[in-house]
Amino acid sequence: MSMVCQVTGGACEYTGRDMKAAHAHLNITAAEWDRMVELFKQVLDKHEVPETESGELLEIIGSTRGDIVVE
């Protein structure tokens, strides 16, 4: 989560591997990715995160898809 914290302007500093290297061994499929996004949306809704902020977070997460999903 420190990556999300950093890219949203928080005080965190992400020092981990890049997304491609960190997820390569997991072989995440498009269906698994879609399910994660669905669950993430449910968590945002549960915690009543406003629509604007939810959209921004989903955009940030979405920008990593190409490095995480194995096509």
Side-chain angles (χ1 to χ4, degrees):
M1 292 315 302
S2 61
M3 186 273 292
V4 174
C5 176
Q6 179 179 326
V7 299
T8 58
C12 305
E13 181 179 344
Y14 179 72
T15 58
R17 296 179 292 166
D18 65 67
M19 292 296 106
K20 186 169 244 162
H23 295 86
H25 69 286
L26 299 174
N27 297 316
I28 296 172
T29 66
E32 291 168 328
W33 175 268
D34 292 344
R35 179 66 176 141
M36 180 280 300
V37 170
E38 180 182 321
L39 293 171
F40 189 61
K41 287 178 181 178
Q42 289 175 9
V43 170
L44 294 172
D45 289 344
K46 177 181 178 181
H47 294 283
E48 299 179 357
V49 176
E51 190 174 326
T52 299
E53 286 80 1
S54 291
E56 290 172 359
L57 287 168
L58 289 165
E59 187 175 324
I60 290 166
I61 298 300
S63 73
T64 66
R65 185 187 188 284
D67 288 336
I68 295 174
V69 174
V70 177
E71 301 287 345

